[in-house]
Amino acid sequence: MNAIISASELADALRSERPPVLLDVRWQLSTAAATGEPFDGRAAYASGHIPGAVFVDLDRELASPPGPRGRHPLPDLDVFGAAMRRAGVSAGRPVVAYDGGIGWAAARAWWLLRWTGHPDVRVLDGGLPAWDGPSETAAPVPAEGDFVPKPADGAVLDADGAAALARSGVLLDARAGERYRGEVEPIDPVGGHIPGALSAPTSDNVGPDGRFRPAAELRARFGELGATRDVPVGVYCGSGVSAAHEVLALEIAGVPASLYVGSWSEWSSDPERPVAVGPDPQ
């Protein structure tokens, strides 16, 4: 099953006898909007969304509060499960997640649902900007879903696992290149990267229109970094959000990958952990 869905395919699916559950996961890494006011995903949702979509709060429902495990640790499974059921998510019904276009937040929802056992989840390619169908402002109240999260083994890395994978397999750093090299660090206390990790910015997963590059191009891109089906692959970013987008891109390319959820926000908070700087992985 393809992990992404086009706007035209989504329109057809919504008209079918078995329409998907729609999750609106609008969120921004920077809380500052163009107006100077903090970005409010719920307000953006209320101003217009794809008909039938239910808003999901990334910070409160797809993550636990920030702490020693990073800025976006794994959510409490009871909280996550309740949020998904409130949105109408059931094990036997397809789900489509979308966000404001960058794809990171929708990919986080996709990854969490897949990790916890949902068999049919896709991300709207290009997000809301790709949608040219109708919109609505009313918030639907779907029938309660029956989805119960059951995490899979082996899909999540901790700090020690990420360090080991950087030595034994391929660990990709999905942040911008300048953050990987330690030239700038706008958020975390230390700049640089996990020793042995390879720079693979999430921005290179998509084309100028914000949609994912074709599977063959993604396969070639990751193959040049040694990330293939033949080796264990992991991904991290700043706090486990954009890295989910990279895991999704790898899925499109046919390469399974694990996610280091704590990512650099967890790694860099411990002064005992080594830090590499510059373009060299080591």
Side-chain angles (χ1 to χ4, degrees):
M1 185 192 69
N2 199 344
I4 56 175
I5 185 171
S6 69
S8 61
E9 290 170 333
L10 176 58
D12 289 342
L14 291 173
R15 291 190 293 265
S16 72
E17 296 181 356
R18 188 169 171 258
V21 172
L22 281 178
L23 306 180
D24 184 310
V25 202
R26 271 178 277 184
W27 171 87
Q28 288 184 3
L29 176 61
S30 170
T31 58
T35 60
E37 297 296 322
F39 176 77
D40 186 337
R42 193 176 296 275
Y45 167 82
S47 69
H49 52 267
I50 298 175
V54 175
F55 180 72
V56 175
D57 190 316
L58 185 147
D59 290 314
R60 293 176 175 83
E61 296 172 323
L62 304 184
S64 294
R69 295 288 185 180
R71 278 191 305 281
H72 291 102
L74 288 172
D76 179 279
L77 289 182
D78 290 338
V79 172
F80 173 65
M84 294 299 98
R85 291 189 293 273
R86 171 186 60 82
V89 174
S90 293
R93 187 177 174 190
V95 177
V96 173
Y98 71 86
D99 56 26
I102 196 169
W104 294 359
R108 173 79 175 211
W110 168 84
W111 180 82
L112 279 169
L113 280 165
R114 290 291 302 275
W115 172 59
T116 55
H118 199 288
D120 190 351
V121 190
R122 287 179 285 180
V123 167
L124 175 58
D125 196 14
L128 192 59
W131 177 254
D132 57 3
S135 65
E136 66 179 11
T137 56
V141 183
E144 183 86 357
D146 64 14
F147 179 69
V148 178
K150 297 178 181 178
D153 294 330
V156 177
L157 295 170
D158 60 12
D160 291 340
L165 187 59
R167 297 188 298 269
S168 63
V170 175
L171 182 65
L172 301 178
D173 184 318
R175 298 172 301 158
E178 58 269 24
R179 290 185 69 191
Y180 170 87
R181 295 187 295 271
E183 297 166 358
V184 61
E185 182 44 66
I187 305 173
D188 293 309
V190 178
H193 58 269
I194 297 173
L198 303 174
S199 180
T202 301
S203 57
D204 291 345
N205 295 332
V206 299
D209 60 358
R211 301 181 191 186
F212 279 97
R213 293 162 60 182
E217 290 186 17
L218 290 171
R219 195 173 302 115
R221 179 205 178 197
F222 292 124
E224 290 175 357
L225 294 167
T228 69
R229 293 186 61 87
D230 300 325
V231 297
V233 178
V235 187
Y236 75 95
C237 59
S239 66
V241 178
S242 67
H245 189 275
E246 191 108 300
V247 173
L248 176 56
L250 284 156
E251 176 83 5
I252 295 169
V255 179
S258 300
L259 178 65
Y260 173 26
V261 180
S263 285
W264 191 247
S265 59
E266 179 188 31
W267 183 276
S268 63
S269 68
D270 184 348
E272 298 298 318
R273 295 194 184 104
V275 171
V277 295
D280 190 320
Q282 302 300 331

